[in-house]
Amino acid sequence: AGLLEFVAATSGNAPSIVMGDFNAETTAPELQGLSARFAEAYAALHPQERTDPKARSTLNLAYFAPRHIDQVFLQRDAFEPIRARIILNQAGPEGAWPSDHYGVHVRLRWPSSRLANGAQP
């Protein structure tokens, strides 16, 4: 609720993207308010992976059980995810990991309906 209040107080007329390590899965009760107004990009593009925790994990599987807790939430009707993938999910040549979390890389675009209504990309 506090995050939604902050977005409302600071976004003006601009659409919003909210991302980070939420320490909770997208479906967790504490994220339901956010999920009502924002779509999680990776989940939107990979619905088949909801039943495969390892495929969608953002926690490094070398250290943790699989969980998707790093998310990119796009304001509904303001952005359209066109690509989302897990990155930094392999150790480097010497066996060092970039982080204890994997990254989430998202590409998005303005929906054509928004552009038709005069929004600037």
Side-chain angles (χ1 to χ4, degrees):
L3 176 59
L4 290 173
E5 289 172 11
F6 175 79
V7 170
T10 60
S11 63
N13 292 328
S16 298
I17 299 170
V18 179
M19 64 184 117
D21 173 357
F22 288 86
N23 285 325
E25 296 272 349
T26 307
T27 57
E30 56 266 41
L31 295 181
Q32 292 309 300
L34 187 62
S35 294
R37 291 190 39 210
F38 293 79
E40 204 282 313
Y42 190 88
L45 294 173
H46 301 279
Q48 73 282 2
E49 291 185 9
R50 290 177 194 212
T51 59
D52 186 357
K54 287 184 178 180
R56 62 190 299 276
S57 183
T58 59
L59 285 178
N60 188 324
L61 297 176
Y63 305 111
F64 302 106
R67 290 184 64 214
H68 187 91
I69 64 170
D70 301 274
Q71 297 140 0
V72 179
F73 286 97
L74 307 175
Q75 185 174 323
R76 294 185 188 279
D77 301 322
F79 300 103
E80 181 180 317
I82 56 173
R83 183 174 163 188
R85 62 190 174 108
I86 305 296
I87 61 171
L88 305 173
N89 57 348
Q90 296 181 353
E94 296 178 12
W97 289 92
S99 175
D100 61 337
H101 290 236
Y102 303 146
V104 181
H105 179 264
V106 173
R107 291 189 63 125
L108 54 99
R109 67 177 166 212
W110 297 99
S112 55
S113 61
R114 189 169 169 77
L115 293 174
N117 290 329
Q120 296 296 312

